[in-house]
Amino acid sequence: ILNVEQSPQSLHVQEGDSTNFTCSFPSSNFYALHWYRWETAKSPEALFVMTLNGDEKKKGRISATLNTKEGYSYLYIKGSQPEDSATYLCAASSYGNKLVFGAGTILRVKS
Amino acid sequence: NAGVTQTPKFQVLKTGQSMTLQCAQDMNHEYMSWYRQDPGMGLRLIHYSVGAGITDQGEVPNGYNVSRSTTEDFPLRLLSAAPSQTSVYFCASSYRSRGSSGANVLTFGAGSRLTVL
């Protein structure tokens, strides 16, 4: 079973700060890496799915990169806004598409 | 198009009681799964299914049963509830992401909060 780790556990930043989080996963048998955004009292929503080494995805002020050889992905938020406050989950799947989640990074953006 | 529908939203059980959490999706997704969410532990996979008639265990399957008789429905059964099963349960289903062939993006239900006394 994959072991997916996220750091930091939580992060408090000021509005306008840029920030990034890390997701680590075993590089052997890797298939796909997902990022989800989870707001309080809502369901997780997909941000990105990446499969290839060197993949970079961007959605507005949020972007992600993937290194499958060393087993990590970074999520970047440029110019954080209070509405970016959420828990950011990453999940990795091996062949067979069984998705295993990390514990998440809680982001709080103060205005 | 309702997406993924979970019922009930809240449930309180006594130790030893059984119940079924219902999950239905109307997106013709092949893949469905159940997760539980506990503080500090993220989402842990209980059971999953890659199609009707096929189910498999996830990380924490003990105390739970599933079946997949149709593409739309994937109920989760608690056979004899225990306080350790107090949690928030999420059902999720998958289509294939257009940009990443073979990678399944999950659509989640709203969650079911279960308390076992």
Side-chain angles (χ1 to χ4, degrees):
Chain A
I1 294 180
L2 288 176
N3 184 30
V4 179
E5 296 185 355
Q6 292 187 245
S7 62
Q9 189 174 17
S10 65
L11 203 51
H12 293 254
V13 302
Q14 289 293 127
E15 183 176 355
D17 287 349
S18 292
T19 186
N20 65 87
F21 335 126
T22 304
C23 175
S24 302
F25 54 89
S27 54
S28 59
N29 290 326
F30 169 82
Y31 189 64
L33 190 286
H34 298 223
W35 281 100
Y36 290 83
R37 183 170 180 273
W38 193 2
E39 292 181 76
T40 304
K42 294 187 178 180
S43 305
E45 292 184 345
L47 285 172
F48 307 113
V49 178
M50 297 178 286
T51 57
L52 299 176
N53 185 47
D55 260 354
E56 291 188 29
K57 295 283 178 84
K58 188 175 180 182
K59 186 182 289 188
R61 293 178 291 99
I62 304 176
S63 60
T65 61
L66 178 66
N67 183 322
T68 61
K69 293 183 179 179
E70 295 181 42
Y72 66 84
S73 174
Y74 293 138
L75 186 79
Y76 301 92
I77 302 179
K78 186 177 176 182
S80 301
Q81 300 296 309
E83 57 265 31
D84 295 328
S85 296
T87 297
Y88 290 84
L89 297 171
C90 82
S93 69
S94 55
Y95 292 108
N97 293 318
K98 191 160 62 176
L99 208 53
V100 176
F101 282 81
T105 293
I106 300 169
L107 174 66
R108 294 290 175 258
V109 182
K110 292 170 105 173
S111 56
Chain B
N1 188 339
V4 178
T5 303
Q6 287 183 236
T7 57
K9 283 189 168 30
F10 302 95
Q11 183 72 48
V12 178
L13 291 178
K14 294 181 179 177
T15 296
Q17 285 185 315
S18 62
M19 77 155 299
T20 299
L21 298 176
Q22 301 290 345
C23 176
Q25 53 89 12
D26 60 359
M27 298 171 283
N28 203 31
H29 286 175
E30 291 182 338
Y31 180 88
M32 296 186 75
S33 53
W34 277 102
Y35 290 86
R36 58 177 289 173
Q37 189 261 326
D38 301 295
M41 303 189 77
L43 293 168
R44 290 185 292 169
L45 182 64
I46 304 172
H47 285 284
Y48 67 100
S49 167
V50 298
I54 306 168
T55 63
D56 205 348
Q57 296 181 348
E59 303 166 78
V60 288
N62 292 341
Y64 306 95
N65 271 3
V66 291
S67 59
R68 184 91 180 272
S69 54
T70 66
T71 300
E72 293 78 19
D73 300 298
F74 191 45
L76 179 72
R77 296 182 188 84
L78 282 72
L79 306 173
S80 177
S84 60
Q85 293 178 304
T86 293
S87 188
V88 181
Y89 292 85
F90 285 94
C91 178
S93 69
S94 305
Y95 60 96
R96 289 192 178 270
S97 168
R98 291 189 201 96
S100 300
S101 175
N104 296 347
V105 176
L106 291 175
T107 300
F108 284 86
S112 298
R113 183 175 293 275
L114 175 67
T115 302
V116 183
L117 302 174

